[in-house]
Amino acid sequence: MSKFPKDPIVRGSFFKLDKQFAKLRRKKKREFRENILDRLSNLESENPKDYWNFVNQLRLENNSETKNNIDGDIWYNIFSDLSSIPENEHIKSKIKEIKSKLELLEKKNFGFSEIDFKIIPGELQKALRQLKSGKSPV
């Protein structure tokens, strides 16, 4: 879909398959719940001990929390490596070149250009009046 977002055939098949997938997911979820309820009802009457073991197992699954097994130092190293510059001479030379160009631009005076000094304030006002009246200033 990301390659051809405006193609109606791809778009239509995507939404059709997405709808089928959602329908299948709901069906499997319903079957899973029904399977658990059937198993509970069968175990309750046939084997109460297994019934309570299964109930306790379901409780533990619902209460289990995901644990972060990755140490904080490892996370720090991963993210600090993301922002570091790779050890490549070509990249280092480009960075030096960019830094030198930036330093030159910082030193350069970005004041007015030569053309700014050649415009007389009266000429600018005259040109603006002519533009407002619809006449060409040239």
Side-chain angles (χ1 to χ4, degrees), residues 76-87:
Y76 177 78
N77 291 334
I78 289 171
F79 285 104
S80 63
D81 289 345
L82 288 176
S83 64
S84 66
I85 299 170
E87 296 294 325

Side-chain angles (χ1 to χ4, degrees), residues 84-106:
S84 66
I85 299 170
E87 296 294 325
N88 187 339
E89 292 302 319
H90 177 70
I91 293 174
K92 286 184 178 182
S93 66
K94 284 288 186 187
I95 290 173
K96 287 180 183 177
E97 182 183 342
I98 291 170
K99 283 183 179 181
S100 65
K101 286 183 180 181
L102 284 174
E103 287 173 0
L104 285 173
L105 288 173
E106 286 174 354

